[in-house]
Amino acid sequence: QIPVVLTWGSGIGIALTPIVNKDRVIQMGVATAANAYSTPDDFTFRNFLRAQDEAAFLSSAFLNVLKTREVGVLKINNDYGKSTADSFKEQFVKDGGRIVTEETFAPNSTDFRTHLTKLKATAPKFIYLTTYPKEGGTLLRQAKELGLTSRFVASVAILGGDEFFTLAGTSAEGLIVATSIPSFTSSTEPAVQSFVRSYAEKFAEQPSAPQIYTARAYDALSLVIEAMSKCGTDTECIRQSLFEVQNYHGVSGTFSFDRNGDVSAEFNLQIVKNGEFVPYENELDSREK
């Protein structure tokens, strides 16, 4: 008789949607990007951004920041990979860009050399990569071993685990990632500063871009607790309370829920430099100097 479930991943969220609606249980997705998760006025919410929102940002970033109109695509074959890649391709072409090549690999793959060899033959300047940390770390290492010189620009899900840097090592240098998380270290928001102190105390490290999911889950649980403090286990009341959330100042940014239970937020680019994610504009500043 649980009133709320927090879920991780687009495939899980989409599969559970008809079940939680039938049972009138709140579902809060903390790592759920697929566009298909958007359903109006029901019991499903997410404080993670839609694939089409990321696509709009990345299309503009490729054209206006990275200064390219030709991009290759390499995607994982699941709900997340297909939704993010399809959204990006549609938006990029609409904005005047061109997809020069596309490769798809299976989840849990460990050998990407065939796909990377094909991409190397096409030699796009940039490759849009949508994958998870485990596959992404291995893929970048093999790309370097094959001498692939294309720059990788990854969707946010590559940030979701510590194994990324373990597997990629120095091959991660120069990877650009789109994320919606604010800079933890520079934020003046009291909630963010409290989170940073608590996180550093518990895990003996400063949170950075990969902690986007930790921050999203922290905010999701905080919102649920706040709603349940007013509603108890009445899921209709919790649902209405969440729909009323506007301009919530959380650890992962400021957001509001729309009638689909979706949120909006601003994106930014991060780049791996010396084994850490730093804001991409810092890289631009150093080049200009």
Side-chain angles (χ1 to χ4, degrees):
Q1 300 298 313
I2 57 171
V4 180
V5 291
L6 271 64
T7 57
W8 179 285
S10 295
I12 294 170
I14 291 170
L16 282 182
T17 292
I19 300 172
V20 297
N21 283 328
K22 176 178 178 294
D23 293 341
R24 304 178 72 81
V25 171
I26 301 294
Q27 175 175 220
M28 179 69 76
V30 299
T32 313
N35 296 323
Y37 186 76
S38 286
T39 44
D41 303 317
D42 66 357
F43 287 83
T44 65
F45 295 82
R46 58 175 159 189
N47 67 337
F48 199 80
L49 302 184
R50 299 174 302 172
Q52 66 191 62
D53 296 327
E54 184 187 82
F57 168 78
L58 273 173
S59 178
S60 177
F62 274 114
L63 294 169
N64 302 311
V65 180
L66 303 176
K67 307 296 185 183
T68 184
R69 292 190 172 275
E70 295 186 339
V71 174
V73 172
L74 182 56
K75 70 176 188 287
I76 191 168
N77 189 20
N78 60 15
D79 287 321
Y80 170 74
K82 288 183 285 188
S83 186
T84 51
D86 289 348
S87 293
F88 169 72
K89 288 186 295 179
E90 180 181 352
Q91 185 67 51
F92 191 55
V93 171
K94 178 182 177 181
D95 291 341
R98 187 170 76 92
I99 304 300
V100 295
T101 186
E102 182 176 357
E103 292 290 322
T104 305
F105 60 87
N108 298 312
S109 295
T110 56
D111 188 349
F112 305 92
R113 292 175 180 86
T114 299
H115 304 293
L116 293 169
T117 299
K118 292 179 181 179
L119 289 167
K120 184 179 179 181
T122 311
K125 185 177 180 180
F126 289 97
I127 297 171
Y128 170 58
L129 174 63
T130 172
T131 185
Y132 296 141
K134 182 174 66 174
E135 292 90 344
T138 302
L139 187 152
L140 290 177
R141 189 185 72 245
Q142 292 177 1
K144 185 174 182 180
E145 291 169 353
L146 288 171
L148 183 63
T149 58
S150 302
R151 294 285 303 277
F152 284 94
V153 180
S155 184
V156 66
I158 203 168
L159 296 173
D162 292 337
E163 69 264 50
F164 171 71
F165 277 116
T166 302
L167 293 167
T170 58
S171 302
E173 284 294 303
L175 171 70
I176 300 169
V177 178
T179 179
S180 59
I181 204 74
S183 174
F184 289 117
T185 55
S186 63
S187 177
T188 58
E189 288 282 348
V192 178
Q193 293 178 338
S194 175
F195 174 82
V196 169
R197 287 194 299 270
S198 298
Y199 187 93
E201 184 178 311
K202 184 173 181 62
F203 298 106
E205 66 176 10
Q206 291 293 320
S208 61
Q211 275 68 55
I212 179 174
Y213 297 98
T214 309
R216 294 285 184 203
Y218 183 94
D219 283 341
L221 190 56
S222 297
L223 285 166
V224 167
I225 290 171
E226 188 173 317
M228 291 184 69
S229 69
K230 297 181 293 184
C231 300
T233 59
D234 182 342
T235 56
E236 180 59 38
C237 177
I238 296 171
R239 183 175 77 98
Q240 291 301 325
S241 178
L242 290 173
F243 275 129
E244 292 170 3
V245 171
Q246 299 294 311
N247 297 316
Y248 178 82
H249 293 274
V251 172
S252 59
T254 300
F255 56 86
S256 308
F257 287 114
D258 64 17
R259 64 172 299 198
N260 292 313
D262 293 340
V263 296
S264 60
E266 294 184 355
F267 286 90
N268 62 87
L269 293 177
Q270 304 261 333
I271 185 171
V272 177
K273 194 169 185 179
N274 299 321
E276 296 181 350
F277 283 97
V278 298
Y280 186 76
E281 57 263 27
N282 293 358
E283 177 71 6
L284 292 178
D285 291 343
S286 65
R287 289 182 182 180
E288 291 172 359
K289 293 175 183 177

